[in-house]
């Protein structure tokens, strides 16, 4: 089967590569010429473990190619995935301009029956908008052509996106067309054979499943973070609490790790979007709104914790702070909405100078924090970040930070404050307290 994927971001590129691994002939299309040039050279524009190997393999056997030509993509594809960005507007609603532009571009170049699949995270009702958009363009063309629209939301975790595509928890397919349903089963036949659960439903329900899932996980993170704040005041241990809670099969241990708050390209954007959807339909999403506020509070609490302990009445002037981890999670270079951005902003505002290191997130952080270029320097490793530092702050739990030589870090430092915002050293707390003034989250 011939597949077209419009958009080569995290979702589109990973999905396109994995579909080629499933035996499909895939064309990945993007309007950004530089990105396509990189991909044609075999270079990835993103960091995602395992993706390079699959890309090289499937390009070599001729199942995967890249283009900026929408006409070529549409004419040579039976199924076309729309995997473009849906960034938040100022009011929190999802910006659908790229999705609807893709629908228009497809309609202008249709040469026969196609299945259009929204892979991007989109609000309820977008499937209908896509259908209306395509019909409008086809009418202008005077071209009578059958087509179907399908909602097939993604559930990828950055850093584990390849594995999530190869072995998903479920495949959600929203469509009113039996023909489109059978075609989508064929697209995912490899997973169907593996007995991965398939959820077939209508388009609106499929669109809502994605938002409901992400919002629930965001609520869960905000919940355990609020428990962590209370633990610090009552003398309890949030890690033991989370472990005991997770033993309850109704709750599960996943997403119960206290930290500096959630970030990334999904949770902040999708929680705001579902709140906006609720407003449009006259339904206040009180729990999700509280999770958003709690997440902002959590990031500020981390800033306050650092300033309170090393500052002089809220002033960090003359202090140098080493930040370890800029990406919103390990094994990705994505810094969008990362807690590190807010924490660095807050510390700089209080007068601190920052020495920052991240295995993959420096390049993106440099332009996101370019307004602080005179206050933030980016270094080559965790040990350089500790040189002359008054404090080290672990913001992202990369594995290499878990194994770093803490004695070497201590020798490099000007003072001995260690803020472990991911609780990666809590098992060593007693030992650490002999050498550092050690602070974690929720203990």
């Amino acid at each position: 089967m011939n597949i077209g994927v419009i958009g080569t971001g995290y979702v589109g590129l990973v999905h396109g590569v994995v579909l080629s691994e499933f035996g499909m002939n895939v064309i990945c299309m993007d309007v950004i010429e530089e990105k396509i040039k990189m991909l044609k050279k075999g270079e990835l524009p993103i960091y995602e473990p395992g993706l390079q190997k699959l890309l090289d393999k499937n390009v070599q056997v001729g199942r995967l190619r890249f283009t900026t030509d929408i006409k070529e993509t549409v004419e040579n594809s039976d199924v076309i995935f729309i995997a473009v960005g849906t960034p938040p507007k100022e009011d929190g609603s999802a910006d659908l301009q790229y999705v609807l532009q893709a629908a228009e571009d497809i309609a202008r170049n249709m040469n026969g029956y196609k299945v259009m699949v929204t892979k991007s995270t989109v609000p309820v009702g977008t499937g209908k908008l896509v259908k209306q958009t395509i019909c409008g363009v086809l009418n202008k063309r005077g071209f009578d052509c059958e087509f179907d629209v399908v909602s097939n939301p993604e559930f990828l975790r950055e850093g584990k996106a390849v594995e999530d595509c190869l072995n998903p928890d479920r495949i959600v397919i929203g469509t009113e067309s039996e023909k489109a349903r059978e075609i989508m089963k064929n697209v995912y036949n490899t997973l169907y054979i593996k007995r991965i659960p398939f959820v077939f439903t209508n388009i609106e329900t499929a669109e809502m499943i994605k938002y409901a899932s992400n919002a629930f996980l965001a609520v869960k993170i905000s919940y355990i973070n609020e428990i962590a704040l209370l633990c610090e005041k009552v003398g309890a241990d949030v890690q033991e609490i989370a472990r005991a809670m997770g033993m309850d099969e109704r709750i599960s241990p996943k997403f119960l790790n206290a930290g500096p708050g959630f970030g990334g390209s999904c949770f902040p954007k999708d929680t705001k979007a579902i709140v906006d959807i609720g407003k449009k339909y006259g339904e206040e999403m009180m729990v999700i709104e509280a999770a958003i506020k709690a997440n902002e509070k959590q990031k500020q609490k981390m800033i306050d914790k650092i300033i309170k302990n090393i500052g002089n009445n809220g002033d960090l002037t003359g202090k140098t702070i080493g930040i370890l981890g800029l990406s919103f999670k390990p094994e990705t270079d994505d810094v969008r909405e990362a807690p590190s951005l807010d924490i660095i902003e807050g510390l700089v505002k209080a007068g601190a100078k920052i020495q920052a290191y991240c295995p993959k997130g420096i390049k993106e952080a440099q332009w996101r924090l370019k307004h602080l270029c005179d206050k933030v320097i980016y270094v080559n490793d965790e040990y350089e970040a500790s040189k002359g530092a008054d404090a080290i702050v672990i913001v992202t739990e990369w594995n290499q930070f878990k194994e770093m030589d803490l004695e070497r870090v201590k020798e490099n430092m000007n003072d001995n404050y260690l803020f472990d915002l991911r609780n990666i050293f809590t098992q060593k707390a007693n030992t650490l307290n002999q050498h550092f003034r050690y602070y974690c989250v929720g203990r």
Side-chain angles (χ1 to χ4, degrees):
M1 188 176 294
N2 297 318
I3 305 292
V5 179
I6 299 177
T8 57
Y10 277 94
V11 174
L13 184 56
V14 175
H15 189 63
V17 170
V18 170
L19 285 179
S20 68
E21 178 70 9
F22 288 167
M24 305 288 127
N25 296 309
V26 179
I27 305 175
C28 288
M29 179 268 167
D30 205 297
V31 296
I32 303 174
E33 292 186 8
E34 189 61 35
K35 192 182 284 190
I36 295 301
K37 285 179 182 177
M38 288 181 65
L39 289 166
K40 284 183 174 180
K41 293 178 185 176
E43 301 172 2
L44 288 175
I46 60 172
Y47 173 73
E48 188 61 43
L51 187 59
Q52 186 73 62
K53 181 178 178 181
L54 290 186
L55 183 143
D56 292 343
K57 171 186 173 182
N58 287 286
V59 167
Q60 187 174 10
V61 298
R63 287 196 297 262
L64 179 64
R65 56 196 179 94
F66 306 96
T67 185
T68 57
D69 190 335
I70 185 67
K71 181 178 175 65
E72 175 193 8
T73 303
V74 174
E75 288 184 349
N76 293 286
S77 300
D78 305 303
V79 178
I80 304 166
F81 287 87
I82 299 174
V84 296
T86 53
K89 296 180 182 178
E90 288 189 9
D91 63 0
S93 63
D95 188 346
L96 296 178
Q97 63 171 309
Y98 305 112
V99 171
L100 298 180
Q101 183 62 58
E104 286 185 21
D105 292 341
I106 292 168
R108 288 193 190 98
N109 294 282
M110 282 173 61
N111 57 341
Y113 174 78
K114 310 287 180 184
V115 177
M116 266 68 76
V117 186
T118 53
K119 198 71 181 171
S120 305
T121 301
V122 294
V124 178
T126 302
K128 287 182 178 178
L129 282 176
V130 168
K131 187 173 183 178
Q132 290 169 7
T133 300
I134 293 170
C135 284
V137 175
L138 291 179
N139 288 337
K140 287 181 181 179
R141 286 179 60 192
F143 185 56
D144 187 14
C145 181
E146 183 186 358
F147 69 91
D148 282 307
V149 174
V150 171
S151 175
N152 175 219
E154 54 82 18
F155 300 94
L156 306 183
R157 297 167 296 171
E158 290 183 32
K160 297 182 179 179
V162 172
E163 176 60 24
D164 287 344
C165 265
L166 292 171
N167 296 288
D169 292 328
R170 74 290 203 196
I171 295 292
V172 176
I173 296 172
T175 181
E176 287 83 27
S177 164
E178 188 61 34
K179 182 178 181 179
R181 171 177 170 150
E182 290 305 310
I183 288 172
M184 293 303 293
K185 281 173 65 175
N186 288 332
V187 169
Y188 292 117
N189 187 52
T190 299
L191 301 178
Y192 199 75
I193 292 170
K194 290 171 68 174
R195 297 186 181 277
I196 299 296
F198 277 59
V199 178
F200 292 101
T201 183
N202 63 20
I203 292 175
E204 289 78 11
T205 302
E207 291 169 339
M208 193 65 185
I209 286 170
K210 169 65 175 181
Y211 277 116
S213 298
N214 277 1
F216 179 77
L217 295 175
V219 167
K220 198 171 181 182
I221 293 169
S222 286
Y223 175 81
I224 199 64
N225 281 341
E226 287 212 312
I227 294 296
L229 295 177
L230 184 58
C231 284
E232 292 182 4
K233 293 183 176 180
V234 301
D237 185 335
V238 73
Q239 287 183 298
E240 288 299 302
I241 291 168
R243 188 168 72 90
M245 286 175 62
M247 292 175 182
D248 189 326
E249 63 181 17
R250 299 169 300 174
I251 297 173
S252 100
K254 295 180 179 179
F255 289 84
L256 282 181
N257 297 312
F262 59 75
S265 62
C266 293
F267 290 176
K269 173 175 69 72
D270 294 351
T271 48
K272 291 173 185 174
I274 196 170
V275 167
D276 178 73
I277 294 168
K279 287 178 181 176
K280 287 177 179 175
Y281 287 88
E283 199 62 58
E284 188 177 5
M285 309 302 290
M286 297 175 67
V287 173
I288 301 171
E289 285 186 13
I292 295 170
K293 292 177 182 177
N295 193 56
E296 293 305 309
K297 179 182 78 170
Q298 187 71 9
K299 290 184 284 188
Q300 186 58 51
K301 286 284 188 177
M302 300 301 102
I303 297 167
D304 294 344
K305 181 195 290 275
I306 298 166
I307 293 174
K308 176 185 175 183
N309 286 286
I310 71 172
N312 181 18
N313 294 321
D315 186 7
L316 295 181
T317 301
K319 301 292 185 181
T320 298
I321 299 176
I323 298 289
L324 299 185
L326 297 166
S327 56
F328 82 96
K329 63 183 289 189
E331 299 303 330
T332 181
D333 57 356
D334 195 348
V335 184
R336 284 175 288 183
E337 301 282 349
S340 62
L341 301 180
D342 294 276
I343 290 170
I344 289 172
E345 289 261 12
L347 297 177
V348 167
K349 187 177 180 180
K353 290 187 177 180
I354 305 296
Q355 297 174 170
Y357 170 68
C358 184
K360 294 294 178 181
I362 289 178
K363 186 176 180 181
E364 185 179 337
Q366 283 176 319
W367 71 262
R368 290 191 181 276
L369 293 172
K370 59 185 177 183
H371 58 293
L372 300 178
C373 60
D374 60 330
K375 298 292 185 181
V376 182
I377 64 169
Y378 301 90
V379 297
N380 296 314
D381 58 35
E382 54 268 43
Y383 301 109
E384 193 174 346
S386 67
K387 286 183 179 178
D390 297 285
I392 290 293
V393 181
I394 299 168
V395 185
T396 314
E397 66 276 31
W398 287 84
N399 284 333
Q400 71 185 71
F401 300 153
K402 299 174 185 177
E403 301 302 325
M404 65 183 176
D405 185 340
L406 291 171
E407 287 188 13
R408 182 179 171 188
V409 169
K410 173 63 178 65
E411 289 173 2
N412 284 344
M413 294 176 67
N414 180 56
D415 209 331
N416 67 338
Y417 288 92
L418 176 59
F419 295 90
D420 179 6
L421 305 188
R422 295 291 181 175
N423 290 345
I424 64 175
F425 293 129
T426 52
Q427 298 301 315
K428 303 177 182 178
N430 291 335
T431 302
L432 283 173
N433 283 327
Q434 298 174 22
H435 306 284
F436 293 91
R437 281 176 271 194
Y438 175 69
Y439 300 88
C440 54
V441 178
R443 297 177 80 236

